[in-house]
Amino acid sequence: MPTTTAVRELPHPAREEIHLEAVLHALADPVRLRIVTCLNAYGEGEGNGATCSQIELPVSASTATHHFRVLREAGVINQCYRGTAKINCLRRADLDTRFPGLLDAVLRAAAS
């Protein structure tokens, strides 16, 4: 009996499709800024990142899902499934290439 393994992939903009106005809009919300600040501690790349539930947020699960989606669609984070968990990590290299210094400036401002 044949079996298939469905791979769930989420759409992400390519590096060259990341636009400054979308990134700034995504980072302007305090909840999304909190997500980015938390994800910054996890690093970038395969094996790094945090599940949605690992980041404490003062909103409902459905609202948190919306915030993660806005960040993903803007190109700020990468989301991938690992089993049933959705792993999130910053797209630091892509953002630094497109907008040098932007992410660091935003994170510094958020910390002060």
Side-chain angles (χ1 to χ4, degrees):
M1 175 175 220
T3 60
T4 60
T5 303
V7 175
R8 296 184 293 172
E9 290 190 25
L10 298 163
H12 296 82
R15 177 183 286 177
E16 61 275 1
E17 295 171 334
I18 298 173
H19 299 287
L20 181 60
E21 55 276 8
V23 171
L24 292 176
H25 168 76
L27 295 174
D29 183 274
V31 173
R32 292 193 288 265
L33 186 55
R34 184 175 185 168
I35 292 168
V36 169
T37 301
C38 291
L39 288 177
N40 187 53
Y42 284 90
E44 179 182 33
E46 192 66 31
N48 293 319
T51 63
C52 298
S53 62
Q54 285 179 289
I55 300 173
E56 258 186 65
L57 299 173
V59 297
S60 68
S62 62
T63 301
T65 298
H66 163 75
H67 287 301
F68 279 100
R69 181 180 54 80
V70 169
L71 289 167
R72 176 178 46 81
E73 289 176 351
V76 177
I77 67 170
N78 183 58
Q79 291 185 304
C80 63
Y81 282 99
R82 212 172 285 145
T84 58
K86 196 183 293 181
I87 306 299
N88 306 279
C89 65
L90 284 180
R91 291 181 64 178
R92 177 174 278 285
D94 290 336
L95 291 171
D96 286 346
T97 298
R98 292 283 288 153
F99 316 110
L102 175 67
L103 187 57
D104 287 331
V106 168
L107 291 170
R108 270 194 313 275
S112 58

